Each structure stands twice: as structure tokens, then as C-alpha cells.
Amino acid sequence: MAHAEAHAEQQQHPIKLYLLVWGLLFVLSALSYLVDYFGLEGFLRWSLILIFMMLKAGLIIAVFMHMAWERLALIYAVLLPPLLVLVFVALMVSESNYILFTRLAFFGSAP
Amino acid sequence: MSAPLKPPAAETFHHPSGLAGLAADWASDQRTFKNVSWGKAMMWIFLLSDTFVFGCFLLAYMAARMSTTVPWPNPSEVFALEIAGTHMPLILIAIMTFVLISSSGTMAMAVNYGYRRDRRKTAALMLVTAFFGATFVGMQAFEWSKLISEGVRPWGNPWGAAQFGSSFFMITGFHGTHVTFGVIFLLIVARKVWRGDFETERRGFFTSRKGRYEIVEITGLYWHFVDLVWVFIFAFFYLW
């Protein structure tokens, strides 16, 4: 119990920090909207979208969800497993390309 | 002649930090998440499982979109609105994103005031969060009605690949359900905070312990997760 209370005090951060993160999330969202608004295409579009997405996700997890102040035991337990989903993504990209190839080869481009 | 009594081991035991701490926490026959209560640890584990569910939905959508030979509808145009005579691409989704981020901001502040034991501010900020959440769901209902009236169905749409409809209803529907449950969860906990259940040790759902405002943080974890998922849906479904 003493431990839990000590922990509760740990999670008290200045309101200013939350307002700062809130503002940053607004700016990052506006920037991702502008990427679409100005119709950027190709590599530039994708790198900007992914950078803004990762920055937003990082800010939410680290500050709003207090992950930055947790012990590494919890941080790794929560953050590593989703990273392994990237393997699944790689598998499905390869599979999708193969399905697209067979569809084009056997059915042509018409639906 | 006997040595002076040592203080209890629990108070002197030193938990190493960093990677050595990680190995020590996971290694031996002891509680792994040392400074995290069971309630918070279980919410994190639930959110981890939810991450996989949403991950699989987004993956299925990616695979459907990459393997179709039919053109994919342009989300920028599908979700455009005419506001005061101006054509605004994707504007509805942008507004929904700002509403959800604002709800995350007020929730983070509610958690903060909870730990400061400021009942009124905590409850008020949670109600504002619930209001933003309900607004989000309302805008989603508008978005769904608009698309359904334009002929979008889980099996087809007027602009191209049929998979667009099923992906759209499945992903945004599942996310909207999460937001709806979050709003209900927020209202329940806000009422308990307002009534002072955490001060009077009133027994009940989630409030069997005295003076623990940690449930506000646990509710907050769920709420921030809903916002977090939207960050990915926004990037992959609406901006792709």
C-alpha cells in the first residue's frame, strides 16, 4: 500500500506538460491534414504521414498514458509484442501482391 | 548479545533500474510489475489484446486494398463536405480527430486532478471528456448516414472496390463501439468521483478500496487508447 501511494505521487505532473502535449497533438494532426489538403503524393506523402502518426502515438503513450514514468518491465511487456505485428504485415504484403498477380493473370483487370 | 533487529526486508529491498531492473523484474519468483497495481496491469494487458484485434482489422483492410484489381475510392473526396459553399476535402474526419484529441487532453487533466484529490475538477473534466466522446460518436453517426444514403454497403459502393464498404463499416464501427463504451465507463466513474465514493470507502463496482483515485487513471488509459487507435485509423484508412 505504501508502495502504491508512493506511485500515485509519481504520476503527478504539472498541468502545463499536458497542455503542451495537447497543443503538439493538435499541430501534428493539422500537419497530417495539410498533407492531404495539398495533395502530396508518393514517398513524400507516406513518410510525412507515418512520421506524424508515430509522433502522435508516441506522445499519447509516453505522456498521456504515463508510459515514460513506468518501469522497463511494463514498457517492454506492452510495446514489444505489437512491434512483432510488423512481421505479420510483411507476410500479408507479400501475400497481397501474390493474390493481385494471380487475379491479373487469370481474370484480367476487369472486375 | 543479539544483533539489532533489521527492518523488514520489503522496505530495504532495492529494485535496480534500467535493463538490469528489467531482467530482475522478469526473472525470479516475484511480482513482475512492481510499481503497478493489478487494476492498472490488467487494463494494460486488455489494451494489448485490443491492439492485436485492431491490428488484425487494419491488416485485413491493407490486404484487401492491395490485392484488389478494382480502383479504391479516394477517401479525401468520399469524406469531403460542402461548408458555406466551399468544397473541403476530408474535413469531417479532421474535425473528428480534433474532437478526440481534445477529449484526450481533458482526460489527462482529469487523472491529474484525481491524484490531487480535487473531486469537483476531476468529475467535471471527465464529463467534458464524455461530452467530446459523445460528440465524436454523433459525428460518426452523421458520417455513416451520409455514406449509406450515397449507396455504400458492406458489399459495395458507387466508386469502386467493394471491399471499401466492408472495411469502412468494420473498422470505424468497431472503433465507434469502443468510444461508446468509453463514454459509458467515463460517466459511471465520474458519478462515483462526484459522489465521493473514493473518500467514504463506499463499496461497489471498481470502488471497493478507500481513497484510491487510481480508477480515474485506469479509465484514462482506456480512453487514451481509443484516441491512439484513431491515430492509426486516421493515417491508414483516411490518408492512404
Side-chain angles (χ1 to χ4, degrees), chain B residues 29-59:
Chain B
D29 185 14
Q30 52 175 316
R31 219 175 106 176
T32 305
F33 304 123
K34 299 229 157 34
N35 56 347
V36 172
S37 74
W38 284 113
K40 217 167 118 177
M42 291 317 288
M43 179 51 89
W44 269 116
I45 289 165
F46 166 74
L47 294 181
L48 186 60
S49 74
D50 230 10
T51 305
F52 292 131
V53 178
F54 275 109
C56 287
F57 274 9
L58 285 171
L59 257 167

PDB file of all heavy atoms in Angstrom, chain B residues 29-59:
ATOM      1  N   ASP B  29      10.880 -15.540  -8.859  1.00  0.00           N
ATOM      2  CA  ASP B  29       9.537 -15.857  -8.426  1.00  0.00           C
ATOM      3  C   ASP B  29       8.973 -14.694  -7.611  1.00  0.00           C
ATOM      4  O   ASP B  29       8.970 -14.706  -6.395  1.00  0.00           O
ATOM      5  CB  ASP B  29       9.615 -17.139  -7.572  1.00  0.00           C
ATOM      6  CG  ASP B  29       8.233 -17.601  -7.176  1.00  0.00           C
ATOM      7  OD1 ASP B  29       7.263 -17.110  -7.774  1.00  0.00           O
ATOM      8  OD2 ASP B  29       8.133 -18.441  -6.283  1.00  0.00           O
ATOM      9  N   GLN B  30       8.529 -13.660  -8.305  1.00  0.00           N
ATOM     10  CA  GLN B  30       8.041 -12.462  -7.634  1.00  0.00           C
ATOM     11  C   GLN B  30       7.105 -11.722  -8.566  1.00  0.00           C
ATOM     12  O   GLN B  30       6.976 -12.060  -9.736  1.00  0.00           O
ATOM     13  CB  GLN B  30       9.226 -11.565  -7.277  1.00  0.00           C
ATOM     14  CG  GLN B  30      10.104 -11.314  -8.491  1.00  0.00           C
ATOM     15  CD  GLN B  30      11.223 -10.352  -8.226  1.00  0.00           C
ATOM     16  OE1 GLN B  30      11.001  -9.349  -7.598  1.00  0.00           O
ATOM     17  NE2 GLN B  30      12.414 -10.667  -8.700  1.00  0.00           N
ATOM     18  N   ARG B  31       6.470 -10.693  -8.039  1.00  0.00           N
ATOM     19  CA  ARG B  31       5.576  -9.887  -8.861  1.00  0.00           C
ATOM     20  C   ARG B  31       6.392  -9.124  -9.906  1.00  0.00           C
ATOM     21  O   ARG B  31       7.357  -8.447  -9.555  1.00  0.00           O
ATOM     22  CB  ARG B  31       4.858  -8.893  -7.955  1.00  0.00           C
ATOM     23  CG  ARG B  31       3.417  -8.701  -8.356  1.00  0.00           C
ATOM     24  CD  ARG B  31       2.743  -7.817  -7.353  1.00  0.00           C
ATOM     25  NE  ARG B  31       2.542  -6.501  -7.936  1.00  0.00           N
ATOM     26  CZ  ARG B  31       1.903  -5.543  -7.305  1.00  0.00           C
ATOM     27  NH1 ARG B  31       1.459  -5.731  -6.093  1.00  0.00           N
ATOM     28  NH2 ARG B  31       1.726  -4.382  -7.890  1.00  0.00           N
ATOM     29  N   THR B  32       5.965  -9.208 -11.161  1.00  0.00           N
ATOM     30  CA  THR B  32       6.758  -8.584 -12.229  1.00  0.00           C
ATOM     31  C   THR B  32       6.570  -7.071 -12.275  1.00  0.00           C
ATOM     32  O   THR B  32       7.550  -6.328 -12.280  1.00  0.00           O
ATOM     33  CB  THR B  32       6.367  -9.188 -13.588  1.00  0.00           C
ATOM     34  OG1 THR B  32       6.517 -10.590 -13.506  1.00  0.00           O
ATOM     35  CG2 THR B  32       7.240  -8.637 -14.689  1.00  0.00           C
ATOM     36  N   PHE B  33       5.305  -6.629 -12.296  1.00  0.00           N
ATOM     37  CA  PHE B  33       5.048  -5.194 -12.460  1.00  0.00           C
ATOM     38  C   PHE B  33       5.016  -4.528 -11.085  1.00  0.00           C
ATOM     39  O   PHE B  33       3.952  -4.287 -10.521  1.00  0.00           O
ATOM     40  CB  PHE B  33       3.747  -4.980 -13.228  1.00  0.00           C
ATOM     41  CG  PHE B  33       3.741  -5.668 -14.557  1.00  0.00           C
ATOM     42  CD1 PHE B  33       2.762  -6.591 -14.888  1.00  0.00           C
ATOM     43  CD2 PHE B  33       4.746  -5.409 -15.482  1.00  0.00           C
ATOM     44  CE1 PHE B  33       2.771  -7.226 -16.116  1.00  0.00           C
ATOM     45  CE2 PHE B  33       4.763  -6.044 -16.712  1.00  0.00           C
ATOM     46  CZ  PHE B  33       3.773  -6.956 -17.029  1.00  0.00           C
ATOM     47  N   LYS B  34       6.207  -4.193 -10.582  1.00  0.00           N
ATOM     48  CA  LYS B  34       6.367  -3.806  -9.177  1.00  0.00           C
ATOM     49  C   LYS B  34       5.562  -2.591  -8.755  1.00  0.00           C
ATOM     50  O   LYS B  34       4.890  -2.599  -7.747  1.00  0.00           O
ATOM     51  CB  LYS B  34       7.840  -3.534  -8.902  1.00  0.00           C
ATOM     52  CG  LYS B  34       8.662  -4.767  -9.147  1.00  0.00           C
ATOM     53  CD  LYS B  34       9.579  -5.060  -8.040  1.00  0.00           C
ATOM     54  CE  LYS B  34       9.944  -6.523  -8.032  1.00  0.00           C
ATOM     55  NZ  LYS B  34      10.025  -7.120  -9.370  1.00  0.00           N
ATOM     56  N   ASN B  35       5.664  -1.516  -9.519  1.00  0.00           N
ATOM     57  CA  ASN B  35       5.015  -0.285  -9.066  1.00  0.00           C
ATOM     58  C   ASN B  35       3.648  -0.093  -9.706  1.00  0.00           C
ATOM     59  O   ASN B  35       3.087   0.985  -9.678  1.00  0.00           O
ATOM     60  CB  ASN B  35       5.912   0.924  -9.379  1.00  0.00           C
ATOM     61  CG  ASN B  35       6.257   0.981 -10.851  1.00  0.00           C
ATOM     62  OD1 ASN B  35       6.035   0.022 -11.593  1.00  0.00           O
ATOM     63  ND2 ASN B  35       6.785   2.103 -11.295  1.00  0.00           N
ATOM     64  N   VAL B  36       3.116  -1.157 -10.303  1.00  0.00           N
ATOM     65  CA  VAL B  36       1.833  -1.056 -10.991  1.00  0.00           C
ATOM     66  C   VAL B  36       0.831  -1.961 -10.284  1.00  0.00           C
ATOM     67  O   VAL B  36       1.106  -3.141 -10.077  1.00  0.00           O
ATOM     68  CB  VAL B  36       1.994  -1.461 -12.474  1.00  0.00           C
ATOM     69  CG1 VAL B  36       0.651  -1.546 -13.145  1.00  0.00           C
ATOM     70  CG2 VAL B  36       2.882  -0.478 -13.203  1.00  0.00           C
ATOM     71  N   SER B  37      -0.328  -1.404  -9.948  1.00  0.00           N
ATOM     72  CA  SER B  37      -1.350  -2.196  -9.262  1.00  0.00           C
ATOM     73  C   SER B  37      -1.954  -3.208 -10.238  1.00  0.00           C
ATOM     74  O   SER B  37      -1.811  -3.075 -11.458  1.00  0.00           O
ATOM     75  CB  SER B  37      -2.443  -1.285  -8.735  1.00  0.00           C
ATOM     76  OG  SER B  37      -3.238  -0.846  -9.814  1.00  0.00           O
ATOM     77  N   TRP B  38      -2.666  -4.200  -9.682  1.00  0.00           N
ATOM     78  CA  TRP B  38      -3.276  -5.210 -10.564  1.00  0.00           C
ATOM     79  C   TRP B  38      -4.274  -4.575 -11.514  1.00  0.00           C
ATOM     80  O   TRP B  38      -4.356  -4.944 -12.690  1.00  0.00           O
ATOM     81  CB  TRP B  38      -3.962  -6.296  -9.731  1.00  0.00           C
ATOM     82  CG  TRP B  38      -2.956  -7.234  -9.150  1.00  0.00           C
ATOM     83  CD1 TRP B  38      -2.650  -7.399  -7.829  1.00  0.00           C
ATOM     84  CD2 TRP B  38      -2.101  -8.126  -9.878  1.00  0.00           C
ATOM     85  NE1 TRP B  38      -1.653  -8.327  -7.689  1.00  0.00           N
ATOM     86  CE2 TRP B  38      -1.300  -8.790  -8.918  1.00  0.00           C
ATOM     87  CE3 TRP B  38      -1.934  -8.408 -11.227  1.00  0.00           C
ATOM     88  CZ2 TRP B  38      -0.344  -9.728  -9.289  1.00  0.00           C
ATOM     89  CZ3 TRP B  38      -0.975  -9.346 -11.589  1.00  0.00           C
ATOM     90  CH2 TRP B  38      -0.205  -9.983 -10.634  1.00  0.00           C
ATOM     91  N   GLY B  39      -5.047  -3.604 -11.001  1.00  0.00           N
ATOM     92  CA  GLY B  39      -6.045  -2.977 -11.860  1.00  0.00           C
ATOM     93  C   GLY B  39      -5.408  -2.348 -13.091  1.00  0.00           C
ATOM     94  O   GLY B  39      -5.868  -2.533 -14.218  1.00  0.00           O
ATOM     95  N   LYS B  40      -4.297  -1.641 -12.857  1.00  0.00           N
ATOM     96  CA  LYS B  40      -3.632  -0.961 -13.966  1.00  0.00           C
ATOM     97  C   LYS B  40      -2.946  -1.970 -14.897  1.00  0.00           C
ATOM     98  O   LYS B  40      -3.033  -1.842 -16.124  1.00  0.00           O
ATOM     99  CB  LYS B  40      -2.604   0.006 -13.394  1.00  0.00           C
ATOM    100  CG  LYS B  40      -2.487   1.284 -14.164  1.00  0.00           C
ATOM    101  CD  LYS B  40      -1.695   2.294 -13.376  1.00  0.00           C
ATOM    102  CE  LYS B  40      -0.449   2.675 -14.112  1.00  0.00           C
ATOM    103  NZ  LYS B  40       0.310   3.710 -13.400  1.00  0.00           N
ATOM    104  N   ALA B  41      -2.308  -2.991 -14.303  1.00  0.00           N
ATOM    105  CA  ALA B  41      -1.638  -4.005 -15.125  1.00  0.00           C
ATOM    106  C   ALA B  41      -2.655  -4.724 -16.011  1.00  0.00           C
ATOM    107  O   ALA B  41      -2.411  -4.953 -17.198  1.00  0.00           O
ATOM    108  CB  ALA B  41      -0.900  -5.001 -14.244  1.00  0.00           C
ATOM    109  N   MET B  42      -3.825  -5.053 -15.446  1.00  0.00           N
ATOM    110  CA  MET B  42      -4.814  -5.781 -16.240  1.00  0.00           C
ATOM    111  C   MET B  42      -5.400  -4.896 -17.332  1.00  0.00           C
ATOM    112  O   MET B  42      -5.716  -5.379 -18.416  1.00  0.00           O
ATOM    113  CB  MET B  42      -5.935  -6.336 -15.350  1.00  0.00           C
ATOM    114  CG  MET B  42      -5.496  -7.445 -14.420  1.00  0.00           C
ATOM    115  SD  MET B  42      -4.403  -8.663 -15.168  1.00  0.00           S
ATOM    116  CE  MET B  42      -5.524  -9.544 -16.230  1.00  0.00           C
ATOM    117  N   MET B  43      -5.541  -3.594 -17.081  1.00  0.00           N
ATOM    118  CA  MET B  43      -6.010  -2.708 -18.142  1.00  0.00           C
ATOM    119  C   MET B  43      -4.978  -2.670 -19.272  1.00  0.00           C
ATOM    120  O   MET B  43      -5.330  -2.749 -20.449  1.00  0.00           O
ATOM    121  CB  MET B  43      -6.279  -1.296 -17.609  1.00  0.00           C
ATOM    122  CG  MET B  43      -6.756  -0.302 -18.663  1.00  0.00           C
ATOM    123  SD  MET B  43      -8.144  -0.877 -19.658  1.00  0.00           S
ATOM    124  CE  MET B  43      -9.543  -0.324 -18.694  1.00  0.00           C
ATOM    125  N   TRP B  44      -3.688  -2.619 -18.910  1.00  0.00           N
ATOM    126  CA  TRP B  44      -2.645  -2.624 -19.948  1.00  0.00           C
ATOM    127  C   TRP B  44      -2.697  -3.915 -20.750  1.00  0.00           C
ATOM    128  O   TRP B  44      -2.543  -3.910 -21.983  1.00  0.00           O
ATOM    129  CB  TRP B  44      -1.260  -2.451 -19.317  1.00  0.00           C
ATOM    130  CG  TRP B  44      -0.829  -1.012 -19.220  1.00  0.00           C
ATOM    131  CD1 TRP B  44      -0.586  -0.304 -18.089  1.00  0.00           C
ATOM    132  CD2 TRP B  44      -0.593  -0.112 -20.312  1.00  0.00           C
ATOM    133  NE1 TRP B  44      -0.229   0.979 -18.395  1.00  0.00           N
ATOM    134  CE2 TRP B  44      -0.212   1.128 -19.749  1.00  0.00           C
ATOM    135  CE3 TRP B  44      -0.672  -0.221 -21.705  1.00  0.00           C
ATOM    136  CZ2 TRP B  44       0.093   2.248 -20.521  1.00  0.00           C
ATOM    137  CZ3 TRP B  44      -0.366   0.892 -22.472  1.00  0.00           C
ATOM    138  CH2 TRP B  44       0.009   2.097 -21.890  1.00  0.00           C
ATOM    139  N   ILE B  45      -2.919  -5.041 -20.084  1.00  0.00           N
ATOM    140  CA  ILE B  45      -2.952  -6.329 -20.794  1.00  0.00           C
ATOM    141  C   ILE B  45      -4.186  -6.403 -21.688  1.00  0.00           C
ATOM    142  O   ILE B  45      -4.127  -6.886 -22.820  1.00  0.00           O
ATOM    143  CB  ILE B  45      -2.867  -7.493 -19.788  1.00  0.00           C
ATOM    144  CG1 ILE B  45      -1.452  -7.539 -19.210  1.00  0.00           C
ATOM    145  CG2 ILE B  45      -3.228  -8.820 -20.438  1.00  0.00           C
ATOM    146  CD1 ILE B  45      -1.297  -8.372 -17.971  1.00  0.00           C
ATOM    147  N   PHE B  46      -5.308  -5.873 -21.195  1.00  0.00           N
ATOM    148  CA  PHE B  46      -6.507  -5.815 -22.043  1.00  0.00           C
ATOM    149  C   PHE B  46      -6.237  -4.957 -23.276  1.00  0.00           C
ATOM    150  O   PHE B  46      -6.589  -5.328 -24.404  1.00  0.00           O
ATOM    151  CB  PHE B  46      -7.697  -5.247 -21.252  1.00  0.00           C
ATOM    152  CG  PHE B  46      -8.849  -4.858 -22.117  1.00  0.00           C
ATOM    153  CD1 PHE B  46      -9.660  -5.829 -22.690  1.00  0.00           C
ATOM    154  CD2 PHE B  46      -9.123  -3.527 -22.390  1.00  0.00           C
ATOM    155  CE1 PHE B  46     -10.715  -5.468 -23.520  1.00  0.00           C
ATOM    156  CE2 PHE B  46     -10.171  -3.170 -23.211  1.00  0.00           C
ATOM    157  CZ  PHE B  46     -10.967  -4.140 -23.774  1.00  0.00           C
ATOM    158  N   LEU B  47      -5.579  -3.806 -23.061  1.00  0.00           N
ATOM    159  CA  LEU B  47      -5.303  -2.913 -24.187  1.00  0.00           C
ATOM    160  C   LEU B  47      -4.348  -3.570 -25.186  1.00  0.00           C
ATOM    161  O   LEU B  47      -4.465  -3.374 -26.396  1.00  0.00           O
ATOM    162  CB  LEU B  47      -4.719  -1.583 -23.691  1.00  0.00           C
ATOM    163  CG  LEU B  47      -5.671  -0.722 -22.857  1.00  0.00           C
ATOM    164  CD1 LEU B  47      -4.994   0.572 -22.446  1.00  0.00           C
ATOM    165  CD2 LEU B  47      -6.951  -0.426 -23.620  1.00  0.00           C
ATOM    166  N   LEU B  48      -3.418  -4.378 -24.668  1.00  0.00           N
ATOM    167  CA  LEU B  48      -2.508  -5.112 -25.553  1.00  0.00           C
ATOM    168  C   LEU B  48      -3.308  -6.067 -26.442  1.00  0.00           C
ATOM    169  O   LEU B  48      -3.091  -6.146 -27.653  1.00  0.00           O
ATOM    170  CB  LEU B  48      -1.493  -5.875 -24.700  1.00  0.00           C
ATOM    171  CG  LEU B  48      -0.373  -6.593 -25.437  1.00  0.00           C
ATOM    172  CD1 LEU B  48       0.449  -5.610 -26.249  1.00  0.00           C
ATOM    173  CD2 LEU B  48       0.529  -7.323 -24.443  1.00  0.00           C
ATOM    174  N   SER B  49      -4.281  -6.772 -25.842  1.00  0.00           N
ATOM    175  CA  SER B  49      -5.095  -7.699 -26.636  1.00  0.00           C
ATOM    176  C   SER B  49      -5.924  -6.922 -27.655  1.00  0.00           C
ATOM    177  O   SER B  49      -6.076  -7.341 -28.801  1.00  0.00           O
ATOM    178  CB  SER B  49      -6.001  -8.522 -25.722  1.00  0.00           C
ATOM    179  OG  SER B  49      -7.059  -7.741 -25.235  1.00  0.00           O
ATOM    180  N   ASP B  50      -6.432  -5.752 -27.246  1.00  0.00           N
ATOM    181  CA  ASP B  50      -7.216  -4.926 -28.148  1.00  0.00           C
ATOM    182  C   ASP B  50      -6.359  -4.412 -29.306  1.00  0.00           C
ATOM    183  O   ASP B  50      -6.838  -4.254 -30.428  1.00  0.00           O
ATOM    184  CB  ASP B  50      -7.791  -3.735 -27.366  1.00  0.00           C
ATOM    185  CG  ASP B  50      -9.289  -3.580 -27.604  1.00  0.00           C
ATOM    186  OD1 ASP B  50      -9.897  -4.484 -28.197  1.00  0.00           O
ATOM    187  OD2 ASP B  50      -9.840  -2.555 -27.190  1.00  0.00           O
ATOM    188  N   THR B  51      -5.075  -4.157 -29.010  1.00  0.00           N
ATOM    189  CA  THR B  51      -4.154  -3.733 -30.058  1.00  0.00           C
ATOM    190  C   THR B  51      -4.084  -4.782 -31.162  1.00  0.00           C
ATOM    191  O   THR B  51      -4.074  -4.460 -32.350  1.00  0.00           O
ATOM    192  CB  THR B  51      -2.746  -3.525 -29.474  1.00  0.00           C
ATOM    193  OG1 THR B  51      -2.826  -2.616 -28.388  1.00  0.00           O
ATOM    194  CG2 THR B  51      -1.789  -2.988 -30.515  1.00  0.00           C
ATOM    195  N   PHE B  52      -4.057  -6.046 -30.755  1.00  0.00           N
ATOM    196  CA  PHE B  52      -3.985  -7.119 -31.755  1.00  0.00           C
ATOM    197  C   PHE B  52      -5.272  -7.193 -32.571  1.00  0.00           C
ATOM    198  O   PHE B  52      -5.236  -7.452 -33.774  1.00  0.00           O
ATOM    199  CB  PHE B  52      -3.705  -8.465 -31.086  1.00  0.00           C
ATOM    200  CG  PHE B  52      -2.327  -8.549 -30.494  1.00  0.00           C
ATOM    201  CD1 PHE B  52      -2.133  -9.000 -29.197  1.00  0.00           C
ATOM    202  CD2 PHE B  52      -1.223  -8.171 -31.225  1.00  0.00           C
ATOM    203  CE1 PHE B  52      -0.865  -9.055 -28.646  1.00  0.00           C
ATOM    204  CE2 PHE B  52       0.050  -8.226 -30.688  1.00  0.00           C
ATOM    205  CZ  PHE B  52       0.220  -8.664 -29.401  1.00  0.00           C
ATOM    206  N   VAL B  53      -6.432  -6.972 -31.922  1.00  0.00           N
ATOM    207  CA  VAL B  53      -7.703  -7.024 -32.657  1.00  0.00           C
ATOM    208  C   VAL B  53      -7.733  -5.910 -33.704  1.00  0.00           C
ATOM    209  O   VAL B  53      -7.980  -6.157 -34.895  1.00  0.00           O
ATOM    210  CB  VAL B  53      -8.899  -6.906 -31.695  1.00  0.00           C
ATOM    211  CG1 VAL B  53     -10.196  -6.922 -32.481  1.00  0.00           C
ATOM    212  CG2 VAL B  53      -8.886  -8.039 -30.683  1.00  0.00           C
ATOM    213  N   PHE B  54      -7.427  -4.677 -33.264  1.00  0.00           N
ATOM    214  CA  PHE B  54      -7.420  -3.567 -34.215  1.00  0.00           C
ATOM    215  C   PHE B  54      -6.328  -3.772 -35.264  1.00  0.00           C
ATOM    216  O   PHE B  54      -6.519  -3.445 -36.445  1.00  0.00           O
ATOM    217  CB  PHE B  54      -7.206  -2.237 -33.480  1.00  0.00           C
ATOM    218  CG  PHE B  54      -8.469  -1.636 -32.928  1.00  0.00           C
ATOM    219  CD1 PHE B  54      -8.710  -1.615 -31.569  1.00  0.00           C
ATOM    220  CD2 PHE B  54      -9.419  -1.099 -33.785  1.00  0.00           C
ATOM    221  CE1 PHE B  54      -9.872  -1.053 -31.062  1.00  0.00           C
ATOM    222  CE2 PHE B  54     -10.586  -0.548 -33.291  1.00  0.00           C
ATOM    223  CZ  PHE B  54     -10.812  -0.520 -31.919  1.00  0.00           C
ATOM    224  N   GLY B  55      -5.183  -4.310 -34.836  1.00  0.00           N
ATOM    225  CA  GLY B  55      -4.093  -4.586 -35.776  1.00  0.00           C
ATOM    226  C   GLY B  55      -4.544  -5.533 -36.871  1.00  0.00           C
ATOM    227  O   GLY B  55      -4.266  -5.325 -38.050  1.00  0.00           O
ATOM    228  N   CYS B  56      -5.285  -6.585 -36.494  1.00  0.00           N
ATOM    229  CA  CYS B  56      -5.755  -7.558 -37.488  1.00  0.00           C
ATOM    230  C   CYS B  56      -6.778  -6.927 -38.423  1.00  0.00           C
ATOM    231  O   CYS B  56      -6.789  -7.218 -39.627  1.00  0.00           O
ATOM    232  CB  CYS B  56      -6.343  -8.781 -36.798  1.00  0.00           C
ATOM    233  SG  CYS B  56      -5.066  -9.813 -36.067  1.00  0.00           S
ATOM    234  N   PHE B  57      -7.642  -6.043 -37.892  1.00  0.00           N
ATOM    235  CA  PHE B  57      -8.618  -5.366 -38.753  1.00  0.00           C
ATOM    236  C   PHE B  57      -7.895  -4.511 -39.792  1.00  0.00           C
ATOM    237  O   PHE B  57      -8.214  -4.550 -40.984  1.00  0.00           O
ATOM    238  CB  PHE B  57      -9.543  -4.476 -37.914  1.00  0.00           C
ATOM    239  CG  PHE B  57     -10.727  -5.217 -37.350  1.00  0.00           C
ATOM    240  CD1 PHE B  57     -10.823  -6.593 -37.441  1.00  0.00           C
ATOM    241  CD2 PHE B  57     -11.750  -4.539 -36.718  1.00  0.00           C
ATOM    242  CE1 PHE B  57     -11.903  -7.279 -36.927  1.00  0.00           C
ATOM    243  CE2 PHE B  57     -12.850  -5.210 -36.202  1.00  0.00           C
ATOM    244  CZ  PHE B  57     -12.922  -6.571 -36.304  1.00  0.00           C
ATOM    245  N   LEU B  58      -6.913  -3.721 -39.336  1.00  0.00           N
ATOM    246  CA  LEU B  58      -6.192  -2.850 -40.267  1.00  0.00           C
ATOM    247  C   LEU B  58      -5.393  -3.674 -41.277  1.00  0.00           C
ATOM    248  O   LEU B  58      -5.266  -3.301 -42.443  1.00  0.00           O
ATOM    249  CB  LEU B  58      -5.287  -1.881 -39.498  1.00  0.00           C
ATOM    250  CG  LEU B  58      -6.030  -0.727 -38.801  1.00  0.00           C
ATOM    251  CD1 LEU B  58      -5.092   0.056 -37.895  1.00  0.00           C
ATOM    252  CD2 LEU B  58      -6.667   0.215 -39.827  1.00  0.00           C
ATOM    253  N   LEU B  59      -4.863  -4.813 -40.802  1.00  0.00           N
ATOM    254  CA  LEU B  59      -4.115  -5.699 -41.699  1.00  0.00           C
ATOM    255  C   LEU B  59      -5.023  -6.295 -42.768  1.00  0.00           C
ATOM    256  O   LEU B  59      -4.653  -6.375 -43.949  1.00  0.00           O
ATOM    257  CB  LEU B  59      -3.526  -6.846 -40.881  1.00  0.00           C
ATOM    258  CG  LEU B  59      -2.056  -6.742 -40.568  1.00  0.00           C
ATOM    259  CD1 LEU B  59      -1.682  -7.761 -39.509  1.00  0.00           C
ATOM    260  CD2 LEU B  59      -1.275  -7.027 -41.841  1.00  0.00           C
TER     261      LEU B  59
END
